[in-house]
Amino acid sequence: MMIRCISMMIDRLREYVAHETPTGDAQALNAFADRLLDRYAELGGTARRVAAPTGDHVVADFPGRGPLAAEAPLLFIGHHDTVWPIGQLRDVMPWREQDGLLHGPGVFDMKGGLVVLEAALEQIADRDHRPVRVVVVADEEVGSPTARELVAAESSGVVAAFGFESPLPNGDLKTARRGSSRVRIEVTGREAHAALDPGRGVSAIDELIDQLIAVRALVASYADVLCNVGTITGGGRTNVVPGAAAADVGFRFIDPETERAVLDAVTGLEPIRPDAQLQVSVMSNRPAWQPSAATDALLHKVQAAAQSVGQEIGGAPASGAADTNLTGWLGIPTLDGLGPRGKGAHAVHEQVIAASLAERADLVAAIIMTI
């Protein structure tokens, strides 16, 4: 029976949650990266940081042992940024242990996954296994704009990729993901007095509204495309025709053909008003990761590993996107969802089931030793 030090895992998770790491807060993220570098070195890895202006990423390589020591590595992918601002822990979501559940900002997405990974690496330290490569990125929650090239580069030559995001609600792994793109639509109009000289003005807000209506009509012409207008900004006073407005829009796609068609159409939008100026930018993009025979074969191997530690595991596609979109799109056998079971990602009731930390660590250790 593999060692299950659940209390130490809970302590580690509490420590990680206490170190708040909002996306884009380079100082907080870099300090957390220091923790990871030290921890991976303690576990026998060779770790390095990859500098990025909004927060550094971490890469660590763990050598193999025994007959598989020279084989291609397994790639494990995670992130240390969260959606929560500094102060969320103190003011809104204090750490809490109750009825077998652990509550706090980032506990489920995805610092619990980082703790699971560390515990698994500790378990297999003196066991035979192929090499392991770990990539932990600092901007996953906004689409990994500075980490995409890093993930692609570190994916080269690996035998399979695994993500430590949260699993499906029943604990199953994720075998495919929708593509995800963030698009910013910016409009420049012309300011004028709204009563004395309205004809001279060009309303950026009116133009933006009409463009968003056009986007809605475009999306409606495709099946299974999700579209969410996440933010709208613009204007200032009701007596001034607004000269600037912008919206950030999130799209989700099930296949690359639809993704390309929709993004081409959106980035090709033209101003409706003669004197309005329009700029459309793709801020981040994760290609659709579609089901494949290679991933199905990997799932079968993981199911056998799970049985070796008394567990059963399934798999199914998921709607959310993550860095595993890229490895799956590149054709690498990929599975995601190795983080602990729980619920409430990006919500104030975010939580994990404490016992699942050890269960997942046992599963990951079995995967490393058998694949």
Side-chain angles (χ1 to χ4, degrees):
M1 174 103 33
M2 292 188 177
I3 298 172
R4 297 188 177 192
C5 198
I6 184 65
S7 63
M8 292 181 65
M9 295 182 73
I10 292 173
D11 289 345
R12 177 75 61 177
L13 181 54
R14 182 171 186 170
E15 174 190 334
Y16 281 4
V17 169
H19 189 137
E20 295 175 288
T21 50
T23 308
D25 188 329
Q27 182 176 0
L29 288 160
N30 290 348
F32 195 92
D34 290 338
R35 288 176 179 262
L36 293 179
L37 290 165
D38 291 342
R39 182 63 175 146
Y40 292 153
E42 289 174 3
L43 293 170
T46 301
R48 58 187 171 90
R49 66 195 313 138
V50 178
T54 54
D56 294 348
H57 315 298
V58 174
V59 178
D61 284 292
F62 295 82
R65 285 175 55 97
L68 296 177
E71 296 294 321
L74 298 173
L75 175 64
F76 291 155
I77 304 172
H79 66 89
H80 59 297
D81 62 321
T82 76
V83 299
W84 303 113
I86 298 292
Q88 187 78 7
L89 178 68
R90 180 193 65 236
D91 301 331
V92 184
M93 297 168 63
W95 172 270
R96 182 162 51 95
E97 300 177 41
Q98 183 177 5
D99 299 327
L101 302 174
L102 309 174
H103 302 257
V107 69
F108 187 52
D109 186 15
M110 63 157 285
K111 289 175 178 175
L114 296 178
V115 171
V116 165
L117 171 57
E118 291 177 16
L121 291 170
E122 194 166 22
Q123 285 189 25
I124 56 90
D126 59 353
R127 306 291 187 94
D128 290 347
H129 62 85
R130 68 173 63 239
V132 171
R133 181 175 301 155
V134 174
V135 177
V136 181
V137 311
D139 56 0
E140 189 278 338
E141 295 293 2
V142 293
S144 302
T146 72
R148 176 173 173 142
E149 291 184 6
L150 173 66
V151 173
E154 297 299 333
S155 298
S156 177
V158 303
V159 68
F162 295 89
F164 282 78
E165 296 282 357
S166 57
L168 293 168
N170 66 352
D172 282 352
L173 302 182
K174 299 171 180 178
T175 59
R177 287 182 176 276
R178 284 179 180 260
S180 174
S181 295
R182 295 186 308 128
V183 174
R184 177 166 293 164
I185 302 174
E186 298 176 279
V187 179
T188 302
R190 185 167 57 239
E191 294 180 345
H193 196 291
L196 300 180
D197 198 13
R200 179 173 175 76
V202 177
S203 172
I205 289 179
D206 286 350
E207 177 72 22
L208 178 62
I209 290 171
D210 288 342
Q211 293 292 343
L212 292 176
I213 291 173
V215 170
R216 180 186 297 175
L218 169 68
V219 168
S221 67
Y222 292 88
D224 292 321
V225 175
L226 302 179
C227 174
N228 180 60
V229 180
T231 65
I232 292 180
T233 59
R237 298 177 180 274
T238 57
N239 60 354
V240 179
V241 175
D248 289 351
V249 187
F251 297 92
R252 306 278 178 154
F253 310 96
I254 61 172
D255 62 80
E257 294 77 22
T258 302
E259 177 181 27
R260 187 70 271 150
V262 171
L263 290 181
D264 283 349
V266 172
T267 56
L269 290 170
E270 296 288 343
I272 296 171
R273 289 157 182 78
D275 293 330
Q277 299 177 40
L278 185 66
Q279 180 174 336
V280 183
S281 307
V282 178
M283 296 185 292
S284 66
N285 168 259
R286 288 184 171 128
W289 160 28
Q290 296 183 286
S292 70
T295 289
D296 289 343
L298 181 61
L299 179 61
H300 291 320
K301 293 178 182 178
V302 168
Q303 289 171 325
Q307 290 176 357
S308 74
V309 290
Q311 298 182 31
E312 294 185 4
I313 196 78
S319 294
D323 290 316
T324 45
N325 277 64
L326 183 58
T327 58
W329 176 73
L330 288 171
I332 298 167
T334 300
L335 291 169
D336 205 343
L338 284 171
R341 291 180 292 120
K343 63 181 179 180
H346 301 187
V348 294
H349 64 281
E350 184 173 3
Q351 59 191 257
V352 297
I353 300 170
S356 71
L357 289 167
E359 294 170 0
R360 287 313 226 206
D362 285 351
L363 173 60
V364 174
I367 288 171
I368 297 172
M369 290 187 296
T370 59
I371 290 180

